Amino acid sequence: MNQSTRLTEQSLCDPVSLEIIRGAIAATQAEMEALIERTAISAFIREKKDFYTALFDGSGTMAVGSMVPIFGDMTRPVLEKFPVETMQEGDVYWYNDCYGSYGAISHSNDQVLLAPVFREGRVCAFVMSWAHFADIGGLRPGSISPDATDIFQEGIMIPVTKMIEAGRVNQAVLDIFHRNSRYPDQSVGDMRALMASVDLGVRRVGEILNRFGPAVMEDALAQLLRRTRKLVRDKLAETFAYGTHSFTDAIDTDGHGNGPFHLRFSLTRAKDENGEDHFTFDARDSDDQAPGPINYLMNKGVPGMALGLFYLGGDPSQVCNAGGPNALDEVLFRKGSFLQPEYPAPLGLRGLTAMRMISAICGLLNTGGGEAPAANSAYVVNIMRGKYRTKDGTLEPYLLADGIGVGYGARATADGIDAVYFVAQENYPVEFLEAGYPITMRAYGIVPNSGGAGRFRGGCGIIREYEILAEETMVAIRIDSVKNPPWGIHGGRSGRHGIAVVNPGTPNEVQLDPLSDGNMLKQGDIFRIETGGGGGYGHPYDRPAGEGRSDVLGGFV
């Protein structure tokens, strides 16, 4: 009898039940996310789909999560303040405190709700819903600004709080939170969507527990975690030879005249005292924290999650969970670096750094021969705030936070993906923008030649051209990779950087700083954004002529 057979016989959850439970949990997660999408009020959640859900086992370890490599240890902040033995059925916990959560939340707009699931008098699981709220106060409408110099300018901070105790809502704390938003009706509606989502998750996971029992469910989640951890560790051993492998990438600027800021990653494979592989991820040589808001409070679970997602590769038989982070034996950061900034450094534009972090992880994989993609552009964020005149002549405020897709890096076997915002999030449709905001879209399409040339070309960016109908508009823009464009690999060319221009092709043309705020537009101005493309893979001369012709006919080149 081999070892795997013995392990199967010792497992409470048999292989068939394991797959049924895995599918049931995935269905629960999808249903929770569908509920958020259908009931939230703000556009960034409802249309952009900037929300996620996850399920954790009874100890708080993520057993099934979304395909997002920026998550950290979401339950630790709650369990430190509210131990499991103090929890009751009907409790819901809430936070958005970046520093208090050790970077599990990495900018303050993101709200987390976590609820325990009870059976047989004990906590058997947790469910989580997470979403980006449009405005939580702060320096400027939208709460995110390149001008921020500390986290207090980025909106209200909620430490771990018991929002609901045994089914009874703490309305006072919600009233305080909503009062700090410039758009309280959106805040109320979005919070109700999150609350409904975790309530649904508790009920659905409870149904799984009722069918299989807590012991079988616990064993199933443990098996899923072990399976992912083993796969990731096996793949790390295939990718990296013994020794230290390093890669450096860079952020252009923090918007305050500083930069570049270098991410310096190393992965060391060694043997421990028992002769087992020991994997260490080290980012301590990364540059010091920035005065501006590009700092990324990187949770220790993030590097392993990113590596795990690469190795899972969209395999439907695998599960995104804490097995990825657990595959690394040691993760090292340096306090005071821009990947581990000291409070109260600003964090609002950490998404820019997170996107470059993903490229740097790909670069690190490639140093070991991992055939990871070339670099991607960082998705662009355009925040418009101002006043427009209604039909009855009154001036009303508006806020449009338009996250715009970019080109992703080419892969070893395929072109890069075009016009992607982030994972499963989406670009706003033209009809939605024109119906809901004082703008007219004059152009929306692919930016030709923005993807790096190669045997496989990089993905192309997006062009958006807005005509301003509002009386006054202040624009904040976030574009990176101008001075350090998305790199290609194995002879592939770099992707083209993005650009933001007011009144292009006229005597009044003005090119905006790529990371800036306070840019004033008036009614009738034309605002054009072209986002960047991804790097190419392989030499351009090796691209078949037929594929090049298709690129030209399709408007990509």
Side-chain angles (χ1 to χ4, degrees), residues 165-378:
E165 183 169 11
R168 185 172 182 176
V169 177
N170 184 342
Q171 190 59 46
V173 72
L174 284 171
D175 289 345
I176 293 169
F177 177 73
H178 298 318
R179 181 64 171 169
N180 277 269
S181 174
R182 297 173 178 86
Y183 299 89
D185 290 344
Q186 288 188 19
S187 181
V188 170
D190 292 345
M191 189 61 78
R192 286 175 177 170
L194 281 191
M195 293 164 71
S197 176
V198 293
D199 179 69
L200 173 65
V202 168
R203 287 188 281 114
R204 291 291 182 261
V205 173
E207 291 167 2
I208 300 171
L209 285 162
N210 288 341
R211 177 175 178 182
F212 292 96
V216 172
M217 176 82 156
E218 181 180 6
D219 184 62
L221 299 182
Q223 287 189 52
L224 293 175
L225 284 163
R226 289 195 301 269
R227 187 162 77 182
T228 301
R229 181 179 183 274
K230 183 179 185 306
L231 180 147
V232 175
R233 285 184 68 84
D234 288 348
K235 293 290 187 179
L236 284 170
E238 291 175 13
T239 302
F240 295 99
Y242 288 103
T244 297
H245 308 260
S246 301
F247 189 84
T248 299
D249 214 329
I251 304 295
D252 288 346
T253 179
D254 67 344
H256 293 254
N258 308 294
F261 293 87
H262 294 91
L263 307 97
R264 297 184 177 94
F265 293 165
S266 294
L267 191 138
T268 299
R269 180 187 177 193
K271 284 188 179 294
D272 62 19
E273 61 276 9
N274 299 317
E276 299 291 334
D277 278 341
H278 185 95
F279 295 102
T280 301
F281 179 89
D282 191 344
R284 289 177 296 179
D285 289 337
S286 296
D287 285 347
D288 290 343
Q289 68 187 60
I294 57 114
N295 300 293
Y296 177 26
L297 188 59
M298 197 167 168
N299 188 274
K300 286 196 171 185
V302 169
M305 183 64 75
L307 289 165
L309 289 175
F310 171 74
Y311 288 129
L312 291 173
D315 183 347
S317 68
Q318 299 295 334
V319 175
C320 169
N321 58 32
N326 291 346
L328 293 175
D329 299 288
E330 198 171 7
V331 176
L332 302 174
F333 294 114
R334 176 176 59 85
K335 196 169 181 62
S337 74
F338 82 115
L339 300 180
Q340 203 68 194
E342 298 194 69
Y343 179 82
L347 307 171
L349 297 178
R350 59 79 174 109
L352 182 154
T353 306
M355 291 298 292
R356 203 65 179 192
M357 176 273 297
I358 294 171
S359 289
I361 292 284
C362 288
L364 185 62
L365 285 160
N366 285 323
T367 65
E371 292 194 339
N376 55 269
S377 281

Side-chain angles (χ1 to χ4, degrees), residues 302-457:
V302 169
M305 183 64 75
L307 289 165
L309 289 175
F310 171 74
Y311 288 129
L312 291 173
D315 183 347
S317 68
Q318 299 295 334
V319 175
C320 169
N321 58 32
N326 291 346
L328 293 175
D329 299 288
E330 198 171 7
V331 176
L332 302 174
F333 294 114
R334 176 176 59 85
K335 196 169 181 62
S337 74
F338 82 115
L339 300 180
Q340 203 68 194
E342 298 194 69
Y343 179 82
L347 307 171
L349 297 178
R350 59 79 174 109
L352 182 154
T353 306
M355 291 298 292
R356 203 65 179 192
M357 176 273 297
I358 294 171
S359 289
I361 292 284
C362 288
L364 185 62
L365 285 160
N366 285 323
T367 65
E371 292 194 339
N376 55 269
S377 281
Y379 57 84
V380 171
V381 175
N382 162 36
I383 304 178
M384 296 179 174
R385 329 88 155 181
K387 293 183 179 180
Y388 69 98
R389 197 169 297 279
T390 63
K391 291 181 179 179
D392 63 8
T394 60
L395 286 175
E396 292 288 338
Y398 83 97
L399 169 65
L400 168 58
D402 191 5
I404 311 173
V406 294
Y408 273 48
R411 296 157 285 178
T413 57
D415 293 342
I417 305 173
D418 305 300
V420 177
Y421 180 70
F422 184 56
V423 192
Q425 297 179 21
E426 299 179 3
N427 300 297
Y428 289 149
V430 171
E431 297 83 355
F432 166 77
L433 285 171
E434 293 188 340
Y437 299 95
I439 61 166
T440 295
M441 292 297 296
R442 291 164 50 101
Y444 176 38
I446 290 291
V447 180
N449 302 313
S450 53
R455 165 61 187 89
F456 297 104
R457 66 164 176 82

Side-chain angles (χ1 to χ4, degrees), residues 32-52:
M32 292 170 66
E33 292 184 349
L35 189 152
I36 295 172
E37 179 183 349
R38 293 171 182 169
T39 60
I41 300 299
S42 65
F44 222 74
I45 300 176
R46 190 182 73 250
E47 297 290 336
K48 178 61 65 182
K49 298 178 177 50
D50 195 351
F51 58 81
Y52 304 101

Side-chain angles (χ1 to χ4, degrees), residues 74-85:
M74 310 299 292
T75 58
R76 176 186 171 189
V78 174
L79 296 175
E80 284 187 347
K81 188 170 182 179
F82 297 97
V84 171
E85 59 270 18

